[in-house]
Amino acid sequence: MRLSELPVGAEALVVNVDLGPSGEGRRLQEIGFVPGTRVRVERRAPLGDPTVFEIRSTQLALRRRGADLVEVRLAEPA
């Protein structure tokens, strides 16, 4: 499943980050989207893009095309 597919409030673990056609995925890895990291969907803009995610106690907004590069699996409740 892709990060962009998660509903608001869901938590997941990063499985893989695709690099993308221009290497955008490398930047996502640099800011913390690495396998095994927990990420939570905080809120989504009214028109659905961008989405705010919490990762490692930091909130950041990603456009759908960036979130599509991150493969995740649902996390078990903490």
Side-chain angles (χ1 to χ4, degrees):
M1 143 180 305
R2 296 293 168 178
L3 187 59
S4 59
E5 299 170 355
L6 292 175
V8 173
E11 290 191 18
L13 295 175
V14 175
V15 174
N16 185 42
V17 179
D18 297 332
L19 292 182
S22 303
E24 304 97 339
R26 188 169 315 280
R27 178 68 179 139
L28 293 173
Q29 291 172 336
E30 290 172 356
I31 61 174
F33 288 92
V34 294
T37 304
R38 186 178 288 262
V39 60
R40 180 169 131 75
V41 183
E42 290 293 319
R43 61 186 176 274
R44 192 164 274 127
L47 296 177
D49 199 30
T51 301
V52 176
F53 299 96
E54 182 176 322
I55 184 167
R56 297 183 181 188
S57 301
T58 301
Q59 291 187 349
L60 56 99
L62 287 180
R63 295 261 179 217
R64 184 179 313 272
R65 70 176 179 265
D68 281 341
L69 297 175
V70 182
E71 182 182 349
V72 297
R73 67 176 168 83
L74 291 177
E76 308 228 349

